[in-house]
Amino acid sequence: MKRYNSLEEVRQDIDTGVVTCRDLVNYYLQNIERKKHLNAYLEVFTEEALQRADEVDQKIAAGTAGRLAGMVIGIKDVLAYKDHSLQSSSKILEGFKSLYTATAVQRLLDEDVIIIGRQNCDEFAMGASNETSAYGPALNEIDNSLVPGGSSGGSAVAVQADLCLASIGSDTGGSVRQPAAFCDVVGFKPTYSRISRYGLIAYASSFDQIGTLTRSIEDAALLLEVMAGADEFDSTASQRPVAPYSQQLQTDKKFRIGYIRDTLESEGLDPEIRETMLGVIDRLKAEEHTVEAVDFPYLDFIVPSYYILTTAEASSNLSRYDGVKYGYRSPDATDLGSMYKKTRTQGFGHEVKKRIMLGTFVLSADYYDAYYTKAQRVRRLIKEKTEELLREYDFLILPTTPTTAFPLGGNDAEPLAIYLADIFTVQASLAGVPAISVPVGYDAKGLPIGLQVLTRSFEEAQLFAFSKVVNEKIILA
Amino acid sequence: MDKEILDKYQPIIGLEVHAQLLTNSKAFTADTTEYGSLPNTNISAITLGHPGTLPRLNKQAVDFAIKMGLATNCEITRTNIFARKNYFYPDLPKGYQITQDKTPICQKGFVAIQLADGQEKNIHITRIHMEEDAGKSMHLAGETETLVDFNRAGVPLIEIVSEPDIHNSDEAYAYLVEIKKLVRYLDICDGNMEEGSLRCDANVSVMLKGADKFGTKVEVKNMNSFRNVQRAIDHEIERQIAMLEAGETIESETRGFDANTGLTSGQRSKESMNDYRYFPEPDLTPLVISDEWLDRIHRQMPSLPHELYAKFTKEFGLPEYDANVLTDTKEIAEYFDQVCQHTTNYKAASNWVMGPVKSYLNELALHVSEFPLQPAQIAEIISLVDSNKINHTAATRNIFPHLVKNPATMALAAAEELNLIQESDDNALVGFIDQVLQNNPKKVAEYKAGKTALVGMFMGEIMKLTKGKADPKTTNKLLQEKLKAL
């Protein structure tokens, strides 16, 4: 069977009788089995997916199928799906099954999506390499000694290795965009509040957004269109109407584009990525877009303020995993205190514990103002400055990552290095604006490079349209 | 303790009162708040804090909090940010409590209390904030494990924090009485301290009179009745004074009250107190109270006890005692107020409501809403007495008991049926009087000789003769005239 790049391609073949949903599910199941070593899935819903494929095939035949009929997806192990295991790749939720379905997942199901499995990720979405998963890392298909990125590593690999057409991930500080860049796929994070978070396991609530990993811009637009919108179960979800993104992808507008000067001059930036970026800028200019260097004075504060705020929220969000109500409870517990300590010591991995402790520290009475309050102020400055730039420019472009995919275990000796790798993705997260990573080239070793594009809040339609411009006119084969 | 020593010190007391709100559903989920359900039946994935769940604010809880704020003369905060209070306890499902930290919904109010000498005093309210309740841990006798019931988890509360304006346990008691009265008038909390729907912690310190700095305060918990709050405060004041007199220093701590011994004992010192790590709740958007919202609550506000008290004393001219008794509960006050819409004999209405009506309710342990007689029926009895159709004794002993058994009957019809319409026709009465005087010549002679107390005996005989239907006032008047003329 051929490799499909978008739902549109799939639907053409379904409509002409070339392929059925059952064929598609069988195809992906075979790929998953054949590429088991990539460890992209924690659980495959084999029987269920086949059964659902038959149902959708019948609906297609009857002309009653939803907008996502023919799309086979995987979901990151942070999304609640009723009666299915939900663990955040953590031992502490061992044996836990969700009692309900996340709003976004339900909306996909209502449009006849087929969910083929639950995907590996960093534990509680904390990590940038998928190495913090309690179930082992997912591997980059291009070179199995390299990480796929994270935290939505399994989700990126699944799309990269043709183990599903699209994945639903989550992005707190780049968790969709960074692995997309490492795995040569499209990674999209919407405006904060655009998609309901109900049913998304919380890491840092004021940053978390459900995002997508796809092979095409079209699929990213369509998935957003289906998932976005107000939700009575998430009062922070935006009430704004949802645009028909997938119908608004064509544009011949000449845009104003800014790029942050320092990002291209930063020491940690891989020279080949820099070259690629400069090439993109040249070609955008050649296409008569305006591209200008801009200054962003807070670059050095982005990563520290991001880690202070996210770990603070995480320390609170993860308090519920205490062994009392569900999930793992240490068998060695002798009293209440030891139940808490042993359950959490044994149930959480190293990175999660580190972040819980860091977050607890920055919220503690004696350090609250020095860290949490200050970081909140910095966040506001970053948000305001980013919005100011986005009033002047339609888009900000920057590399998704400072390097291409790095080796497994490569950052073990330098724990801070992996935090600094988030430098280009956390700006959009702090500002809450939408951002996308599109494949834009390869380095000399053939490793993919991602171009990140940011735009104004709730202007996803424009972001997708421009991404298509990049895809079609800027990337030279 | 020696009064002389006690008098050297000024106790400073502030109270923190938690009131469980009578909303139909929980503060942040649609789960029911029904009391007395089987353990762990009023729960859902949201109450249990399952991964991925989010809170949804119950607007009714906000309405109730605003009502309490208006009733206590508070400023209402227009932009409210919820906060998380983080601590570990098995009955706290999320590992944090959603509460309000920097923006309590009500601020800077006061409650007027009545002191023993009849004076009024304002106790200032620092803040009233909204929060969610925790579940209940249950340690069953003989079991090594602790069980947790999450039915109560997420039930909305308001915490009412007073300024340290209270100076003794009597004032604390009066303040609690007033708070309870208010929450019940507003119908936002049933005010039951024994069942835990009203809970009180006391912050107590003492200082030498005239000192310009408060002493170190101690928080006292675990009081399950108003009386115990009073006892705990009295004990704590004496304990602190004794320590100071002995040259000891008071440590900031939390102490628990033991109702059996009447003593408080240390629970937690300040060093070991939780650092709650408050921070803004990112799962809820700021709550903005619009003008329309506030207007709507203003329109829903019932008459409050002090307003009714003023009406009853000033408009109706009732004694303060009556006004106090009548405004004790909203239901009695409203019932009385309705009786007064049908009569202008307010004092009689007050006597009827405080007397026969309340006794009837007390004896049968009924609520006012279950009282069989309409306010107009009480007014009718009053009017029958006032117009001398029946006498007061017949009204209370016969008509009232008859009516509560036959509430569809009119008072006049009942009086006729029971043959209680009294004789107030002068001619008829004179006939009866003459008859009695003729039958008792000896007594008449004694009366004339100066034994005027015999009037009572003559009255009794007339009543006997008329089977109690003689209007006592008129009869007495006519009898006196007759005796004088003899």
Side-chain angles (χ1 to χ4, degrees):
Chain A
M1 189 184 292
K2 80 173 199 195
R3 174 176 194 144
Y4 291 100
N5 288 311
S6 70
L7 178 61
E8 203 188 338
E9 287 179 18
V10 172
R11 286 307 297 262
Q12 264 170 19
D13 280 2
I14 288 178
D15 293 346
T16 52
V18 175
V19 76
T20 64
C21 290
R22 177 167 264 270
D23 297 338
L24 288 164
V25 169
N26 270 321
Y27 166 73
Y28 289 124
L29 287 173
Q30 281 160 20
N31 280 358
I32 292 168
E33 183 58 31
R34 202 156 47 81
K35 300 180 184 181
K36 230 176 168 171
H37 63 284
L38 296 178
N39 200 20
Y41 284 88
L42 296 176
E43 186 182 357
V44 183
F45 309 144
T46 307
E47 288 310 313
E48 194 187 316
L50 284 168
Q51 195 189 325
R52 190 154 163 90
D54 290 343
E55 285 166 23
V56 179
D57 278 330
Q58 281 164 19
K59 281 192 183 178
I60 292 172
T64 58
R67 283 184 288 171
L68 298 180
M71 183 180 266
V72 179
I73 65 164
I75 56 175
K76 185 179 179 179
D77 189 22
V78 291
L79 290 161
Y81 184 14
K82 191 175 179 190
D83 299 330
H84 291 74
S85 294
L86 174 63
Q87 286 190 234
S88 247
S89 292
S90 179
K91 195 183 162 187
I92 207 154
L93 276 170
E94 219 166 57
F96 180 76
K97 283 188 178 197
S98 183
L99 295 177
Y100 69 102
T101 298
T103 300
V105 173
Q106 189 58 52
R107 287 178 182 174
L108 296 172
L109 290 169
D110 291 346
E111 293 292 342
D112 291 329
V113 89
I114 297 167
I115 302 177
I116 200 166
R118 180 164 62 94
Q119 293 165 335
N120 198 358
C121 59
D122 280 298
E123 185 181 6
F124 282 101
M126 296 178 186
S129 63
N130 212 126
E131 290 168 288
T132 72
S133 167
Y135 301 91
L139 306 180
N140 197 317
E141 198 200 17
I142 298 169
D143 177 343
N144 292 172
S145 72
L146 302 179
V147 303
S151 65
S152 311
S155 303
V157 172
V159 176
Q160 173 193 38
D162 212 18
L163 313 180
C164 58
L165 182 63
S167 296
I168 310 300
S170 69
D171 189 314
T172 303
S175 279
V176 152
R177 291 162 284 156
Q178 184 255 21
F182 281 7
C183 294
D184 207 19
V185 301
V186 176
F188 164 68
K189 174 199 95 78
T191 309
Y192 180 76
S193 81
R194 182 67 292 186
I195 299 177
S196 163
R197 289 182 292 118
Y198 187 68
L200 167 64
I201 290 191
Y203 159 19
S205 314
S206 74
F207 294 79
D208 295 340
Q209 265 297 285
I210 289 172
T212 55
L213 297 114
T214 56
R215 303 195 57 78
S216 67
I217 311 291
E218 285 83 350
D219 285 356
L222 183 59
L223 285 169
L224 177 67
E225 200 175 305
V226 171
M227 290 190 287
D231 176 19
E232 59 164 329
F233 287 99
D234 177 2
S235 53
T236 68
S238 173
Q239 306 285 320
R240 283 172 186 249
V242 176
Y245 307 110
S246 62
Q247 310 302 311
Q248 299 176 345
L249 294 170
Q250 300 309 318
T251 183
D252 44 22
K253 231 177 116 181
K254 298 303 169 196
F255 292 108
R256 287 181 53 76
I257 299 152
Y259 68 92
I260 297 168
R261 198 190 319 270
D262 288 348
T263 60
L264 295 190
E265 284 163 14
S266 81
E267 246 177 66
L269 183 65
D270 182 330
E272 288 185 80
I273 294 180
R274 184 167 180 272
E275 285 310 308
T276 304
M277 286 299 295
L278 293 173
V280 165
I281 289 165
D282 283 346
R283 290 192 293 278
L284 283 169
K285 283 179 177 164
E287 290 286 329
E288 294 172 29
H289 298 290
T290 306
V291 188
E292 291 173 356
V294 298
D295 289 315
F296 189 78
Y298 307 120
L299 218 53
D300 289 345
F301 303 104
I302 285 182
V303 170
S305 57
Y306 169 79
Y307 274 96
I308 287 168
L309 295 173
T310 53
T311 56
E313 291 183 21
S315 71
S316 173
N317 282 331
L318 271 61
S319 294
R320 67 190 63 197
Y321 309 109
D322 56 5
V324 174
K325 305 163 296 282
Y326 48 74
Y328 177 76
R329 179 189 293 171
S330 172
D332 313 329
T334 52
D335 59 11
L336 180 62
S338 79
M339 179 175 84
Y340 283 150
K341 284 177 195 160
K342 293 197 157 113
T343 296
R344 289 167 67 83
T345 302
Q346 295 161 11
F348 287 133
H350 181 74
E351 181 65 28
V352 171
K353 280 184 276 202
K354 190 163 77 184
R355 294 195 195 193
I356 290 173
M357 284 190 274
L358 187 57
T360 305
F361 174 77
V362 299
L363 284 177
S364 63
D366 293 343
Y367 299 95
Y368 190 91
D369 286 336
Y371 292 101
Y372 183 77
T373 307
K374 196 178 277 179
Q376 263 194 323
R377 264 190 236 129
V378 173
R379 182 182 194 181
R380 188 169 313 128
L381 289 175
I382 290 169
K383 185 175 160 65
E384 282 166 5
K385 184 66 187 174
T386 304
E387 285 169 349
E388 185 193 314
L389 290 174
L390 285 170
R391 274 192 293 274
E392 207 173 320
Y393 298 95
D394 299 309
F395 306 105
L396 292 179
I397 57 171
L398 61 168
T400 307
T401 55
T403 67
T404 52
F406 49 82
L408 282 159
N411 280 306
D412 288 356
E414 274 192 274
L416 276 183
I418 200 163
Y419 288 0
L420 289 172
D422 295 338
I423 184 156
F424 300 138
T425 49
V426 293
Q427 183 183 357
S429 302
L430 284 160
V433 299
I436 195 166
S437 175
V438 287
V440 77
Y442 300 90
D443 70 5
K445 288 179 278 180
L447 297 178
I449 295 168
L451 168 73
Q452 193 187 191
V453 187
L454 276 55
T455 194
R456 290 180 281 272
S457 290
F458 300 105
E459 295 206 3
E460 280 89 353
Q462 168 178 282
L463 186 65
F464 290 132
F466 178 68
S467 299
K468 267 190 73 80
V469 170
V470 172
N471 219 10
E472 288 162 7
K473 305 213 171 117
I474 303 305
I475 304 167
L476 302 177
Chain B
M1 186 175 281
D2 197 343
K3 190 169 178 308
E4 215 172 288
I5 298 172
L6 282 175
D7 281 349
K8 278 163 56 186
Y9 291 90
Q10 175 66 68
I12 302 288
I13 301 155
L15 296 182
E16 292 171 11
V17 177
H18 283 91
Q20 210 176 59
L21 300 180
L22 287 171
T23 52
N24 302 320
S25 55
K26 293 187 179 180
F28 300 107
T29 70
D31 298 353
T32 174
T33 53
E34 207 179 332
Y35 185 79
S37 304
L38 285 173
N40 293 315
T41 53
N42 299 347
I43 57 170
S44 63
I46 299 179
T47 288
L48 294 179
H50 274 213
T53 55
L54 297 169
R56 272 197 293 174
L57 178 63
N58 178 350
K59 296 274 166 65
Q60 199 186 19
V62 181
D63 288 357
F64 285 9
I66 295 174
K67 280 185 181 173
M68 191 59 183
L70 294 178
T72 53
N73 313 290
C74 282
E75 293 167 12
I76 305 300
T77 305
R78 294 310 192 92
T79 303
N80 290 267
I81 312 280
F82 287 93
R84 289 187 187 176
K85 177 179 178 178
N86 295 282
Y87 64 95
F88 284 97
Y89 206 69
D91 61 21
L92 188 71
K94 298 187 294 292
Y96 55 83
Q97 177 193 35
I98 303 178
T99 178
Q100 294 188 293
D101 179 27
K102 296 197 168 80
T103 59
I105 185 152
C106 316
Q107 300 183 70
K108 296 180 191 153
F110 65 88
V111 168
I113 61 166
Q114 272 197 333
L115 304 181
D117 61 5
Q119 294 283 318
E120 269 203 356
K121 174 175 175 177
N122 284 343
I123 305 298
H124 291 87
I125 303 284
T126 315
R127 58 186 282 160
I128 300 174
H129 63 258
M130 301 179 278
E131 58 189 29
E132 56 177 342
D133 211 342
K136 269 185 194 160
S137 296
M138 298 193 278
H139 314 274
L140 300 183
E143 296 283 339
T144 49
E145 289 184 321
T146 298
L147 302 176
V148 192
D149 176 8
F150 289 107
N151 281 354
R152 202 180 67 178
V155 170
L157 300 173
I158 48 173
E159 180 174 346
I160 306 153
V161 182
S162 85
E163 288 286 306
D165 287 349
I166 298 166
H167 290 156
N168 57 54
S169 67
D170 290 341
E171 290 181 13
Y173 189 91
Y175 171 78
L176 288 175
V177 165
E178 205 54 40
I179 292 289
K180 176 176 170 171
K181 223 191 254 186
L182 285 176
V183 295
R184 292 176 69 146
Y185 262 74
L186 297 169
D187 211 12
I188 61 171
C189 167
D190 64 21
N192 190 327
M193 225 172 146
E194 284 78 10
E195 279 175 19
S197 51
L198 204 64
R199 289 167 236 161
C200 175
D201 301 333
N203 288 308
V204 181
S205 69
V206 297
M207 62 180 187
L208 280 170
K209 280 184 180 157
D212 51 8
K213 224 177 120 207
F214 286 173
T216 307
K217 79 174 176 198
V218 167
E219 186 179 24
V220 190
K221 289 179 177 288
N222 291 351
M223 292 85 78
N224 65 352
S225 70
F226 288 9
R227 178 71 195 119
N228 282 337
V229 172
Q230 215 172 358
R231 289 170 69 205
I233 289 172
D234 282 337
H235 166 73
E236 190 54 28
I237 291 170
E238 289 207 18
R239 189 189 69 85
Q240 291 185 19
I241 291 177
M243 281 180 73
L244 293 178
E245 286 290 307
E248 295 169 55
T249 15
I250 289 157
E251 299 289 336
S252 178
E253 62 175 339
T254 300
R255 297 180 71 83
F257 177 71
D258 181 342
N260 293 321
T261 61
L263 306 177
T264 65
S265 57
Q267 288 183 329
R268 272 187 319 212
S269 69
K270 196 183 181 186
E271 290 71 48
S272 66
M273 273 183 196
N274 264 321
D275 178 353
Y276 291 118
R277 294 172 284 123
Y278 286 96
F279 73 100
E281 164 59 289
D283 288 337
L284 289 167
T285 46
L287 165 70
V288 178
I289 312 292
S290 64
D291 289 347
E292 291 74 24
W293 192 340
L294 205 50
D295 288 347
R296 178 170 60 80
I297 303 298
H298 266 293
R299 285 195 301 273
Q300 291 174 359
M301 288 295 279
S303 293
L304 294 173
H306 66 270
E307 290 164 358
L308 289 172
Y309 180 89
K311 179 178 179 183
F312 295 171
T313 50
K314 298 202 177 94
E315 219 175 289
F316 294 169
L318 292 185
E320 287 175 2
Y321 172 82
D322 290 37
N324 256 327
V325 172
L326 291 169
T327 56
D328 191 39
T329 70
K330 178 171 83 162
E331 292 73 20
I332 287 288
E334 281 178 348
Y335 190 86
F336 168 74
D337 205 28
Q338 283 164 19
V339 174
C340 292
Q341 285 170 18
H342 302 278
T343 179
T344 51
N345 190 346
Y346 305 123
K347 180 58 183 139
S350 167
N351 292 343
W352 271 96
V353 174
M354 292 196 303
V357 175
K358 275 193 89 172
S359 313
Y360 177 84
L361 294 173
N362 286 343
E363 269 164 38
L364 301 180
L366 293 180
H367 187 256
V368 183
S369 61
E370 297 164 301
F371 185 59
L373 299 187
Q374 298 300 313
Q377 289 177 285
I378 300 293
E380 195 198 350
I381 302 177
I382 293 169
S383 125
L384 289 177
V385 174
D386 286 352
S387 61
N388 292 327
K389 289 243 169 40
I390 54 176
N391 67 50
H392 182 75
T393 313
T396 53
R397 293 222 182 122
N398 304 101
I399 308 274
F400 181 80
H402 182 80
L403 285 181
V404 292
K405 279 194 202 104
N406 307 282
T409 319
M410 298 294 287
L412 181 60
E416 281 163 355
E417 193 187 327
L418 297 171
N419 207 14
L420 291 171
I421 298 293
Q422 69 186 356
E423 208 49 80
S424 57
D425 173 48
D426 285 10
N427 288 333
L429 281 174
V430 168
F432 288 121
I433 293 168
D434 287 345
Q435 205 182 327
V436 167
L437 295 181
Q438 273 162 26
N439 292 348
N440 297 283
K442 256 192 184 166
K443 298 286 175 194
V444 172
E446 282 174 38
Y447 177 88
K448 276 169 45 183
K451 209 170 171 188
T452 51
L454 280 168
V455 172
M457 193 280 291
F458 295 131
M459 278 297 286
E461 287 300 308
I462 298 165
M463 285 301 171
K464 244 191 241 166
L465 204 58
T466 60
K467 297 196 174 77
K469 291 196 295 177
D471 168 17
K473 254 191 243 160
T474 320
T475 310
N476 194 289
K477 197 185 88 198
L478 292 172
L479 176 66
Q480 296 279 7
E481 284 168 13
K482 270 278 174 208
L483 288 169
K484 242 180 242 167
L486 279 173

